[in-house]
Amino acid sequence: MTISKSDQQILPALAKPYPRIAVIGSGSWGTALATVAKRAGREVVIWGRDEKTTDAIRERGENPKYLPGVELPKGIDATTDMGAALKDADAVLVVTPSKTLRKICARMKPHLKKGVPVALCAKGIETKTGLLLGEVAAEELPDHPIGALSGPTFAKETVLGHPTAATVAFDFTYADRLSPKDSPAARLAISMSSEFFRPYISDDLVGVEIGGAVKNVIAIACGMMSGAGFAENTRAALITRGMDEMKTLAEVLGGRRETVTGLSGAGDLTLTCSSTTSRNMSLGTQLGKGLKREECFDGKPVVVEGEVNSISVIDLAQRIGVSLPICESVHAVLHEGADLTQTFRDLWSRPIEAEPKALGLAFDHPFGENA
Ligand SMILES: NC(=O)C1=CN([C@@H]2O[C@H](COP(=O)(O)OP(=O)(O)OC[C@H]3O[C@@H](n4cnc5c(N)ncnc54)[C@H](O)[C@@H]3O)[C@@H](O)[C@H]2O)C=CC1
Ligand SMILES: O=C(CO)COP(=O)(O)O
């Protein structure tokens, strides 16, 4: 169906892109998102704490530390000066690891123009407080719309221009509902859109954030079982039941089922549980093969968000009284010294349940602890 000329005049005008995007964090994902924004036609500046890296990005269009051998678009500015990075920013992407968020927000605050939207691109939940990253940022930056950008997005593939999709979520204010095209979610989505990167707009920040945190833990579980010699049936079962755990947590916290089955949930779960390009899947695989934690990644420091996410996800689940058996199993192996093989054997012989839970059926497993 072609839209007639006259109809085109009544189509809502496109959301207005943010002219200048600041990216906080010059690691693999920060560099990838800066590339996405540059390719979409934005002015882009990256802040990083490592001068060698910011110099390389600005002067040579490369990030040899985090994305070696990958060419970046020319014209991405980069600095170690937070004030310079944020001075004229119209929108900010925060892409340092989840555990750094509170301090990074506090460091950003003095330099941010009031009302500038901040999208969190790390995946996790704050340990000790159990706050979602959006809640942490809202505490530290009360004068700014807070959102998230999350989905099935390996950094290197994104920079190489493989078509990639992700969700951009901000809570919608009443004004946003009256004029969605002026909402931060719509404006940031259009700001990042190109033939290579396809954002989807969401108003379900909770659902998006829970998806990003839980998928990391399930990916470690998938890696553990794959590393221990189990095959695709097992991985498919973990992905499916892991999505149920993601849905359980998201819905209790006010997130939506459609978000869990979208890019930031099922999409990212599928990607991260299917490839050792995922650091979470890779860690699980190495542990499943019998390596000690300190032997993994040849002892190099690597960001594996699922390790800390498994603590915060389980802590949160216990506070609100929900059971997440796969996440609990990962926590037991990573943080309680439990034997990997026995833990997953116990997982498999828990009481027989119904799918859907609503059937309310459960009875002892013939090989379970009560057998
Ligand atoms: N790498 C990927 O494919 C993707 C990563 N993410 C998420 O992005 C977040 C960042 O991870 P990556 O960029 O992958 O890690 P990375 O290890 O590639 O980069 C981390 C960056 O954060 C900086 N950093 C670490 N601690 C800091 C601190 N205390 N203060 C200031 N800067 C600090 C490092 O210097 C580095 O520039 C994680 O939450 C991850 O889950 C999300 C989607 C894709
Ligand atoms: O979140 C990611 C892809 O969407 C990156 O996964 P890892 O953190 O497991 O490497």
Side-chain angles (χ1 to χ4, degrees):
M1 177 196 81
T2 53
I3 297 172
S4 70
K5 199 85 186 105
S6 59
D7 289 353
Q8 277 168 339
Q9 276 119 34
I10 59 169
L11 280 180
L14 269 183
K16 261 175 56 239
Y18 293 112
R20 185 173 174 85
I21 306 272
V23 177
I24 305 303
S26 57
S28 43
W29 190 222
T31 305
L33 285 173
T35 299
V36 168
K38 192 69 194 166
R39 280 195 186 124
R42 309 286 79 78
E43 288 174 43
V44 181
V45 57
I46 289 188
W47 172 87
R49 60 180 179 175
D50 168 30
E51 196 162 33
K52 269 179 73 179
T53 298
T54 52
D55 287 352
I57 293 171
R58 186 183 61 254
E59 292 162 9
R60 301 194 301 278
E62 61 179 24
N63 185 335
K65 186 171 180 184
Y66 292 99
L67 291 167
V70 177
E71 189 182 342
L72 306 178
K74 294 289 178 277
I76 295 176
D77 193 5
T79 176
T80 56
D81 179 335
M82 186 67 87
L86 293 176
K87 190 161 62 74
D88 302 318
D90 300 300
V92 180
L93 306 179
V94 183
V95 207
T96 52
S98 61
K99 67 180 180 191
T100 70
L101 182 65
R102 194 174 284 278
K103 287 203 175 107
I104 286 286
C105 286
R107 198 165 160 186
M108 288 165 50
K109 189 171 181 176
H111 308 291
L112 268 178
K113 284 184 307 221
K114 201 167 177 180
V116 167
V118 175
L120 310 178
C121 308
K123 298 173 178 179
I125 294 171
E126 187 174 63
T127 47
K128 293 197 182 56
T129 63
L131 292 177
L132 303 187
L133 299 186
E135 294 167 310
V136 173
E139 281 185 355
E140 298 298 329
L141 300 170
D143 297 331
H144 298 270
I146 302 297
L149 185 157
S150 192
T153 59
F154 285 144
K156 186 170 179 181
E157 291 182 14
T158 305
V159 178
L160 290 175
H162 295 285
T164 298
T167 301
V168 175
F170 281 77
D171 289 336
F172 268 50
T173 63
Y174 185 67
D176 292 336
R177 297 213 181 281
L178 289 179
S179 177
K181 73 174 179 58
D182 296 323
S183 69
R187 293 194 65 192
L188 185 60
I190 201 79
S191 302
M192 303 293 279
S193 292
S194 73
E195 62 187 302
F196 309 104
F197 195 80
R198 183 175 172 77
Y200 284 73
I201 298 162
S202 168
D203 65 349
D204 181 12
L205 183 53
V206 167
V208 166
E209 291 198 272
I210 290 296
V214 172
K215 69 91 183 173
N216 284 329
V217 186
I218 304 301
I220 292 177
C222 288
M224 286 176 171
M225 294 299 263
S226 298
F230 295 95
E232 300 314 303
N233 292 359
T234 311
R235 192 167 61 83
L238 285 172
I239 292 173
T240 309
R241 297 307 303 165
M243 198 178 323
D244 185 70
E245 297 189 11
M246 188 188 282
K247 188 180 63 191
T248 298
L249 198 55
E251 286 190 327
V252 169
L253 295 173
R256 289 211 294 271
R257 188 167 297 202
E258 296 85 343
T259 306
V260 170
T261 56
L263 289 163
S264 58
D268 209 357
L269 190 65
T270 307
L271 177 79
T272 315
C273 295
S274 304
S275 160
T276 51
T277 301
S278 155
R279 295 156 298 186
N280 288 282
M281 176 89 176
S282 177
L283 172 67
T285 303
Q286 296 171 73
L287 294 173
K289 285 178 177 168
L291 271 67
K292 291 188 178 61
R293 177 58 184 93
E294 56 274 18
E295 296 167 332
C296 297
F297 304 106
D298 298 326
K300 291 195 202 76
V302 171
V303 167
V304 185
E305 290 277 25
E307 280 185 292
V308 69
N309 294 173
S310 60
I311 297 170
S312 47
V313 164
I314 292 306
D315 175 52
L316 185 55
Q318 287 169 349
R319 287 183 199 212
I320 55 182
V322 296
S323 166
L324 308 176
I326 302 171
C327 292
E328 288 158 20
S329 300
V330 171
H331 186 279
V333 174
L334 291 183
H335 306 297
E336 302 166 39
D339 174 77
L340 188 150
T341 307
Q342 185 57 48
T343 300
F344 281 92
R345 188 174 292 131
D346 295 345
L347 178 71
W348 237 253
S349 51
R350 287 176 306 113
I352 303 287
E353 295 170 286
E355 190 182 64
K357 278 194 192 82
L359 277 180
L361 279 175
F363 39 91
D364 280 341
H365 190 287
F367 296 97
E369 58 184 11
N370 300 326

